[in-house]
Amino acid sequence: MPDIVIYLGNKAYSSWSLRGWLACKLTGLPFREEVHPMDTPDWKAWIGARSPSGKVPYVTVDGAPLWESLAIGEHLAELNPQAFWPADRAARGHARSIASEMHAGFVELRKAMWMAVRNRFPGKGRTPGALADIARIEAIWAEARKRYGAGGPFLFGKSFGFADAMYAPVVARFRTWEPEISPATKAYVDAVWNHPFMAEWIKAAEAEPWKIAKYENPDPAA
Ligand SMILES: N[C@@H](CCC(=O)N[C@@H](CS)C(=O)NCC(=O)O)C(=O)O
């Protein structure tokens, strides 16, 4: 059995960490995790001594380094392919496309509505750029569900896969910031939020002792 270790930032705030951690969960294998609070005096030294990019998530498999959440997902998928990607080739291509679009984009949403799992900031963060990103994400989710989602509540049906993992931090953002979303989007948000992997992450985030002040204030300019 491979020895998998994942290095993470705060579960309350680190959206990329969540993606990498969900990829570890999708392997179905045991793994070890080390969480270190970001924005602390020793953060840069801690992550710099481990991750070549100086960012989390950082994963090792039998000591071999892995960084960048999409690459982490693709590599860990080799350990349990059917859990990560749909079996159907066209659906798999679609899943890879939307996972890549998430990895590459939605900067305005990420800036205006950061992940803060423990917080509720309803009505805040609605910049034009964030709203445009949300409209595109709603369209992505609706299209995947229409084409491939009939068998269950997730983007490709019955099982929570890696495309869902890539969008899970967006689900967390929607819970926190409560933008106006369609009933279908809300149903998907609820399905992801209530998935056992997410419940485990949220519970750990709730238990964390650390707070980063700038992420606790939804009106940074105020
Ligand atoms: N493109 C990277 C993004 C990783 C990233 O930006 N991680 C953030 C945390 S969510 C980070 O490490 N920030 C701390 C820092 O830059 O010092 C990925 O896909 O993993």
Side-chain angles (χ1 to χ4, degrees):
M1 191 180 296
D3 176 39
I4 304 172
V5 185
I6 183 164
Y7 301 86
L8 306 163
N10 311 49
K11 289 188 173 176
Y13 312 115
S14 182
S15 56
W16 294 107
S17 293
L18 171 56
R19 295 179 176 100
W21 183 87
L22 288 169
C24 290
K25 295 296 280 185
L26 284 168
T27 65
L29 298 171
F31 61 91
R32 287 184 289 125
E33 56 181 71
E34 279 193 33
V35 183
H36 195 85
M38 301 183 299
D39 256 39
T40 50
D42 65 339
W43 164 257
K44 289 279 179 207
W46 183 83
I47 194 60
R50 292 164 175 78
S51 163
S53 64
K55 292 192 186 300
V56 284
Y58 173 60
V59 172
T60 59
V61 178
D62 293 330
L66 279 175
W67 66 101
E68 287 294 324
S69 51
L70 201 50
I72 290 167
E74 287 288 9
H75 186 75
L76 293 181
E78 294 179 20
L79 299 172
N80 191 14
Q82 68 281 5
F84 280 73
W85 297 115
D88 175 75
R89 189 156 59 91
R92 206 158 57 243
H94 198 101
R96 283 202 160 96
S97 296
I98 67 173
S100 295
E101 190 171 344
M102 179 67 245
H103 190 246
F106 306 121
V107 173
E108 295 295 327
L109 172 69
R110 294 191 344 229
K111 211 163 48 185
M113 299 187 187
W114 54 86
M115 193 173 92
V117 167
R118 301 175 297 209
N119 301 67
R120 293 291 174 269
F121 304 140
K124 304 280 184 181
R126 296 183 184 183
T127 64
L131 295 180
D133 283 350
I134 289 168
R136 173 64 191 142
I137 289 167
E138 287 203 87
I140 288 172
W141 292 355
E143 175 73 6
R145 293 225 4 93
K146 188 170 118 209
R147 279 176 182 266
Y148 303 111
F154 299 109
L155 293 175
F156 294 86
K158 191 160 60 70
S159 313
F160 177 95
F162 190 61
D164 300 290
M166 286 300 284
Y167 283 93
V170 173
V171 163
R173 287 171 160 94
F174 285 4
R175 293 273 311 188
T176 294
W177 300 85
E178 297 182 24
E180 280 174 30
I181 51 176
S182 72
T185 301
K186 173 77 169 61
Y188 175 69
V189 164
D190 290 345
V192 170
W193 189 258
N194 291 316
H195 188 278
F197 293 169
M198 286 299 282
E200 188 180 331
W201 178 275
I202 295 157
K203 194 170 165 208
E206 302 276 2
E208 277 178 352
W210 317 293
K211 280 195 174 165
I212 299 179
K214 66 182 176 194
Y215 297 141
E216 298 285 321
N217 173 14
D219 298 306

